[in-house]
């Protein structure tokens, strides 16, 4: 028995997207929300800049998880 694979048509392609200016969903944690905001517009920046943006975001999130120094 063969499996029926539906024909690909543009009408069957449904992709949910957020409005371009909506930005990321808010978390309620200011540090995390600031990091997410810093990544807005990444699609419009040259790919060569992406690693630095991700490294900075990662560092900021790690610092938020680690908490205040000496804690």
């Amino acid at each position: 028995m063969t499996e029926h694979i539906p024909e690909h048509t543009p009408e069957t392609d449904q992709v949910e997207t957020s409005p371009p200016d909506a930005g990321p969903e808010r978390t309620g944690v200011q540090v995390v929300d600031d990091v997410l905001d810093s990544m807005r517009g990444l699609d419009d920046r040259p790919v060569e800049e992406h690693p630095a943006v991700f490294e900075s975001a990662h560092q900021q999130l790690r610092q938020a998880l680690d908490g205040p120094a000496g804690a």
Side-chain angles (χ1 to χ4, degrees), residues 30-42:
Q30 190 61 49
V31 174
V32 175
D33 290 341
D34 290 345
V35 171
L36 292 172
D37 288 341
S38 75
M39 298 183 74
R40 285 186 78 173
L42 191 60

Side-chain angles (χ1 to χ4, degrees), residues 49-64:
E49 294 180 13
H50 291 193
V53 173
F54 288 126
E55 287 293 328
S56 176
H58 182 254
Q59 179 182 15
Q60 292 173 61
L61 293 171
R62 290 292 307 199
Q63 288 174 344

Side-chain angles (χ1 to χ4, degrees), residues 8-54:
H8 170 75
T9 63
E11 294 81 28
T12 61
D13 292 339
Q14 302 256 337
V15 178
E16 292 184 31
T17 60
S18 298
D21 59 351
E25 184 175 330
R26 307 312 288 173
T27 66
V29 178
Q30 190 61 49
V31 174
V32 175
D33 290 341
D34 290 345
V35 171
L36 292 172
D37 288 341
S38 75
M39 298 183 74
R40 285 186 78 173
L42 191 60
D43 290 342
D44 298 329
R45 297 174 71 173
V47 173
E48 296 80 24
E49 294 180 13
H50 291 193
V53 173
F54 288 126

